[in-house]
Amino acid sequence: MSFLEFIRQPWPWYVAGPLIGLTVPVLLLIGNKSFGISSSLRHICAACLPAKLPFFSYNWKKESWNLLFVTGILLGGFIATHFLDNPNPIQLAPATKMALQALGIQDFSGFMPNELFALSTMATGKGFIFLVLGGLLVGFGTRWAGGCTSGHAIMGLSNLQWPSLVATISFMVGGFAMTHVFFPFIFKLIYP
Amino acid sequence: MKPSPQTSVRHKPTTHSTATVCDAPNVARASESGVSLLKYLIVGTTFGIVFVKAEVISWFRIQEMFRLDSFHMYGVIGSAVLVGMLSVQLIKRFNVKTLQGETVQIAPKTFHRGQIFGGLIFGLGWALTGACPGPLFAQIGSGFLSVAVTLISAVAGTWLYGYFRERLPH
């Protein structure tokens, strides 16, 4: 097996997790930066539409490292997908596949279900729920919580901050509620 | 970090301490610009590649996590926290300095009720979109262009929070 074939396989958690964790000391040591991604959304607001709101009135240019960091994530997504892609379909747990099939999802070929995330869904009710509503909840919720999975679950817990543990548990409870309580209603709505 | 004189002239100081500072403010004293900022682009790119190769940007993997059908996501997040925790403790114990020779500073997180209310709201969105903010960027880079709508909505959600902030419990 060549090196390229080797890294094209999906990376197991014990390789990816530590690499993600290493981002914490790398950012701290290359420039005293605390790992956090949802802040970038705030900097975009501060840069584009501060509207004289105190929450967006700060020197966002001082935080431009964060905008470069997320631009890098986008670029990394492109590189990994176009040059290091795994030719095989994603190996999904059979129980999850069955549960999603029962909800009405049929296409399991990519990273995202095409029925919900193809460009053609953008102007439909499905697009409104999964893209627009989902995005609003992510943006509003992370800012109210003061961070997301990276700022709270990884950076905050790494620094032994108990408020970050509260936030992380709340993230998980919200996700469980959406999956187990709201999904059955939402999917009945979109696949009557 | 002190608010710049310009902002304090234009706006009345608010009671909440983060009003003129962001959540994880840049505490580096050395100013960085141009080429020295490129290192963050490189770290981000590496990070994005890991996201895609570990399939954590997959909506399906997030579903597996919330359905407790796979250990994968728990392993990724758990081992990331473990490595992060170990590194932060080592940096503190041995007072490891930054490349610029500064002492590493990490702002503490203060508890407020937003971590619960906001956390729950984000969790709902996490399961819908199959992405936290980081993977949103990686999904777009991977070619899921419709996710640009999610990203714009997330920016709008952040803006709405800024607008209603004073009226929300913290």
Side-chain angles (χ1 to χ4, degrees):
Chain A
M1 188 189 282
S2 75
F3 176 71
L4 193 62
E5 281 170 33
F6 180 69
I7 57 167
R8 275 184 149 178
Q9 304 176 88
W11 298 0
W13 63 265
Y14 50 84
V15 172
L19 283 174
I20 292 172
L22 278 178
T23 314
V24 171
V26 166
L27 287 177
L28 284 173
L29 295 178
I30 65 174
N32 229 340
K33 305 289 186 284
S34 284
F35 179 45
I37 294 175
S38 63
S39 305
S40 64
L41 305 173
R42 183 175 175 186
H43 306 327
I44 294 171
C45 291
C48 302
L49 199 69
K52 298 198 173 163
L53 292 169
F55 192 65
F56 299 121
S57 303
Y58 57 94
N59 184 10
W60 63 270
K61 285 184 188 142
K62 195 166 191 291
E63 314 298 332
S64 52
W65 73 272
N66 197 264
L67 296 172
L68 275 162
F69 183 67
V70 296
T71 310
I73 298 177
L74 195 143
L75 211 63
F78 180 84
I79 293 170
T81 304
H82 291 268
F83 304 108
L84 308 169
D85 69 308
N86 168 26
N88 306 311
I90 183 166
Q91 297 293 314
L92 198 61
T96 297
K97 194 170 176 179
M98 272 170 61
L100 293 175
Q101 276 168 337
L103 287 173
I105 290 180
Q106 285 156 359
D107 187 345
F108 291 87
S109 60
F111 272 176
M112 319 267 289
N114 266 320
E115 296 105 318
L116 306 177
F117 293 96
L119 277 176
S120 55
T121 65
M122 270 168 52
T124 66
K126 283 189 277 189
F128 179 77
I129 295 171
F130 286 88
L131 303 172
V132 178
L133 186 67
L136 283 172
L137 294 172
V138 168
F140 193 89
T142 51
R143 205 68 275 122
W144 196 0
C148 60
T149 333
S150 55
H152 273 310
I154 296 178
M155 186 68 216
L157 291 185
S158 290
N159 196 28
L160 310 174
Q161 300 293 302
W162 69 268
S164 292
L165 184 63
V166 174
T168 306
I169 293 170
S170 308
F171 301 163
M172 295 305 295
V173 171
F176 282 117
M178 177 54 75
T179 302
H180 297 280
V181 181
F182 298 111
F183 263 19
F185 292 103
I186 292 174
F187 277 90
K188 224 169 259 168
L189 207 66
I190 60 176
Y191 296 122
Chain B
M1 192 161 111
K2 273 189 276 181
S4 69
Q6 201 193 359
T7 43
S8 44
V9 169
R10 273 193 311 176
H11 301 288
K12 282 181 289 180
T14 45
T15 45
H16 207 285
S17 62
T18 60
T20 45
V21 189
C22 39
D23 302 278
N26 177 5
V27 291
R29 271 167 295 149
S31 70
E32 293 168 302
S33 57
V35 183
S36 75
L37 280 172
L38 275 181
K39 55 183 184 282
Y40 301 104
L41 186 79
I42 296 165
V43 178
T45 307
T46 316
F47 193 74
I49 292 175
V50 177
F51 265 7
V52 174
K53 289 316 298 173
E55 301 180 338
V56 302
I57 67 159
S58 165
W59 187 91
F60 292 118
R61 288 267 176 261
I62 303 301
Q63 274 299 298
E64 272 182 347
M65 170 175 75
F66 287 131
R67 293 177 185 279
L68 300 173
D69 289 336
S70 163
F71 179 71
H72 184 76
M73 285 303 302
Y74 293 97
V76 169
I77 298 176
S79 57
V81 171
L82 219 61
V83 168
M85 217 180 262
L86 204 69
S87 323
V88 170
Q89 297 317 310
L90 286 174
I91 286 172
K92 285 183 174 172
R93 176 75 54 86
F94 296 102
N95 192 17
V96 184
K97 298 276 196 281
T98 69
L99 282 184
Q100 297 80 12
E102 297 176 13
T103 302
V104 169
Q105 283 181 38
I106 310 172
K109 310 265 184 196
T110 31
F111 176 75
H112 56 78
R113 284 173 292 169
Q115 278 141 9
I116 300 172
F117 301 134
L120 290 171
I121 292 176
F122 163 51
L124 295 172
W126 190 7
L128 270 179
T129 60
C132 26
L136 280 183
F137 292 96
Q139 285 174 348
I140 297 171
S142 287
F144 296 99
L145 298 181
S146 64
V147 178
V149 175
T150 316
L151 180 64
I152 293 166
S153 304
V155 172
T158 304
W159 192 89
L160 285 173
Y161 168 75
Y163 188 83
F164 289 111
R165 184 164 189 273
E166 306 301 324
R167 274 169 269 176
L168 297 168
H170 282 94

